[in-house]
Amino acid sequence: MGHNLKGALYALLAFAIYATHDVVIKFLGESYNSFQIIFFAGLMGFPLISFMLMSDRTDGNLIPRHPWWSLLRSLTAVSTGAAAFYAFTVLPLAQTYAILFAMPLLITVLAIPMLGEKVGPRRGIAVVVGLIGVLIVLRPGSADLSLGHLAALLAALTGSLTSVIVRKIGAEERSAVLMLYPMVATFLLTGAAMPFVYVPMPLEHLALTGVIAGLAFVAALLSIMAYRTAPAIIVAPMQYSQIIWAVIFGALLFDEKADFYTLVGTGVIIASGIYIVMREGTGSVSINSPVLSNKSRPETGLMPRISLLLRKRAD
């Protein structure tokens, strides 16, 4: 089996597990606040995260070289997690994914002022077309926009900002610093919210928060295997397979039906995202490759970013 095919299969399996992870979030979201779900999932995943961080043998301390960027990135990571978890609980799965798939478009736009990225007319047109796809999904004026839609848009925006910040300071910051601070911020801020949102959880629901952490961990490991086996240009587009699982899980488990506009808009967004990935992959087009260097789903603070784990293992 060729390396490209093997890497693609690892990625497809990883994103199938991520989709299952999101189903559990949606199920628990029917009874609990997203802050509570994130808090306990992070608590359950802490031993796995500690194992990852302890394996970093590089010299140095945990003081960031770019404290303000690190603080902003920690806050955007917490915002992304809370917003994405909430969106999954109140919106149809397919619609949530469609909006989150706008991340490559937003990363491309944010990379212009923050990284000095030069975006030519082809990628510029792809961004505009992709954003039109988002409007097709949302249908402002003809469909009711809810807090869930705004949360999904916020998650896409803050997730994109997080990715660009990592790209901006990643070469100068220690991997352990980049991984640790967002997770600590997530634990502290969601913990601070517990007195206001906590609802007692039966043992089986508490166990499901552990399932969320375990699925995220396994999917992260599979993603690492995918990116270490095949080029990013092969692996990255596999994320869009999640829309297939969203339609299947949504129909079977939550009685959701992906409407015509959601499917059309999603197709436009996916086509634009794949085109941007392909353009970055040509080498001479992008000086930063901000989308290809992302290698992660929207960051939730539960698990380290894939790009950082890949870099740590390569050091």
Side-chain angles (χ1 to χ4, degrees):
M1 184 184 298
H3 290 299
N4 288 351
L5 178 57
K6 187 181 295 186
L9 291 176
Y10 283 144
L12 288 172
L13 181 56
F15 287 116
I17 293 174
Y18 273 130
T20 307
H21 159 282
D22 298 334
V23 166
V24 181
I25 292 171
K26 187 173 182 65
F27 172 76
L28 288 178
E30 295 176 352
S31 305
Y32 309 101
N33 185 278
S34 57
F35 283 107
Q36 182 171 341
I37 300 171
I38 295 173
F39 176 79
F40 282 104
L43 197 63
M44 295 293 183
F46 189 75
L48 301 174
I49 297 168
S50 299
F51 176 76
M52 289 180 175
L53 295 177
M54 289 172 61
S55 66
D56 186 359
R57 302 299 183 183
T58 56
D59 293 332
N61 54 45
L62 295 178
I63 300 175
R65 296 180 181 178
H66 300 276
W68 294 111
W69 282 118
S70 296
L71 175 61
L72 178 59
R73 187 225 166 186
S74 298
L75 294 176
T76 57
V78 175
S79 300
T80 303
F85 273 49
Y86 178 76
F88 275 120
T89 62
V90 299
L91 293 181
L93 287 170
Q95 203 166 87
T96 305
Y97 280 126
I99 298 171
L100 293 179
F101 285 163
M103 276 187 60
L105 316 175
L106 298 175
I107 289 173
T108 302
V109 173
L110 291 173
I112 298 173
M114 294 180 64
L115 302 178
E117 178 75 1
K118 305 296 184 183
V119 176
R122 294 183 183 180
R123 277 193 294 165
I125 292 172
V127 169
V128 172
V129 171
L131 293 178
I132 291 173
V134 175
L135 292 177
I136 294 174
V137 172
L138 295 178
R139 305 195 300 283
S142 60
D144 293 332
L145 296 183
S146 66
L147 189 59
H149 294 101
L150 295 177
L153 287 169
L154 176 63
L157 177 60
T158 54
S160 301
L161 181 56
T162 302
S163 296
V164 177
I165 292 173
V166 171
R167 184 62 170 155
K168 184 177 182 66
I169 67 175
E172 300 176 15
E173 290 285 8
R174 190 177 174 216
S175 294
V177 171
L178 291 168
M179 289 189 285
L180 184 63
Y181 276 75
M183 290 181 285
V184 171
T186 298
F187 181 75
L188 293 177
L189 292 177
T190 57
M194 282 300 99
F196 307 99
V197 303
Y198 177 74
V199 174
M201 305 179 78
L203 184 60
E204 57 268 26
H205 286 182
L206 190 61
L208 284 177
T209 64
V211 170
I212 291 173
L215 290 173
F217 180 74
V218 172
L221 293 181
L222 285 168
S223 297
I224 291 171
M225 293 170 64
Y227 278 105
R228 293 180 69 87
T229 303
I233 196 171
I234 298 294
V235 176
M238 297 301 110
Q239 67 172 307
Y240 298 118
S241 64
Q242 291 172 108
I243 196 65
I244 299 173
W245 294 110
V247 172
I248 294 173
F249 286 145
L252 293 179
L253 302 178
F254 302 105
D255 196 27
E256 297 173 353
K257 293 182 180 180
D259 61 59
F260 173 78
Y261 291 100
T262 297
L263 294 177
V264 171
T266 302
V268 173
I269 297 168
I270 290 175
S272 300
I274 291 177
Y275 181 80
I276 289 173
V277 167
M278 296 300 178
R279 287 292 293 169
E280 283 193 10
T282 60
S284 60
V285 171
S286 174
I287 60 175
N288 296 291
S289 300
V291 175
L292 284 176
S293 66
N294 178 30
K295 299 184 176 67
S296 300
R297 296 212 322 163
E299 189 166 6
T300 62
L302 298 183
M303 287 291 159
R305 293 179 65 84
I306 303 304
S307 57
L308 299 176
L309 292 171
L310 285 165
R311 191 183 79 175
K312 184 171 72 66
R313 291 189 174 199
D315 291 342

